[in-house]
Amino acid sequence: QVQLAESGGGAVEVGGSLRLSCVASKNTYNSYSMGWFRQAQGKGRTMIAQVYKDGRTAYANFAKARFSISKVDAENTMYLQIDNMIPEDTAIYTCAARRASNDAYSIWGQGTQVTVST
């Protein structure tokens, strides 16, 4: 079973940037579609962006301007760059994997906390 581990979260001031990482326990990124999600306190989980096996990306509308998803297959690592951060970005950020783009995400990391302060 593939395992995912996020890192890179923390506290940042408004306007700052963070780069989150998601490392897979074994060769995953050329076999799975991957995604980043976030969940703010008291709210549901929201998809931020996805990267498909062939490298194509897709973003939620709110994420198109300030978020960037990428992956390095050779390193089994996916990234999420967040720029010009705002307090509304405060959430737990989680990466996930699925075998096919029409499958549900079935493999989840433990999440990393991101807090944006004024």
Side-chain angles (χ1 to χ4, degrees):
Q1 173 74 345
V2 174
Q3 294 181 323
L4 304 176
E6 303 92 339
S7 63
V12 63
E13 294 182 347
V14 168
S17 298
L18 277 179
R19 188 176 77 159
L20 307 181
S21 300
C22 174
V23 179
S25 58
K26 59 182 180 181
N27 187 7
T28 302
Y29 290 97
N30 60 358
S31 302
Y32 290 77
S33 290
M34 306 293 298
W36 281 103
F37 294 77
R38 72 181 185 182
Q39 185 168 17
Q41 190 171 7
K43 297 187 178 180
R45 185 161 56 200
T46 302
M47 192 276 287
I48 302 168
Q50 304 179 79
V51 57
Y52 298 99
K53 301 175 192 179
D54 60 4
R56 290 179 298 116
T57 59
Y59 293 86
N61 285 335
F62 77 88
K64 291 179 179 178
R66 300 185 297 109
F67 293 74
S68 179
I69 191 171
S70 61
K71 64 171 182 169
V72 180
D73 289 345
E75 298 176 357
N76 295 327
T77 303
M78 176 177 65
Y79 300 98
L80 184 70
Q81 177 73 32
I82 314 172
D83 297 319
N84 298 318
M85 298 184 74
I86 59 177
E88 290 75 15
D89 292 328
T90 297
I92 296 174
Y93 286 70
T94 307
C95 61
R98 56 182 177 178
R99 275 286 189 181
S101 59
N102 58 351
D103 287 343
Y105 281 96
S106 58
I107 302 170
W108 296 86
Q110 83 286 352
T112 185
Q113 176 70 47
V114 171
T115 302
V116 184
S117 60
T118 57

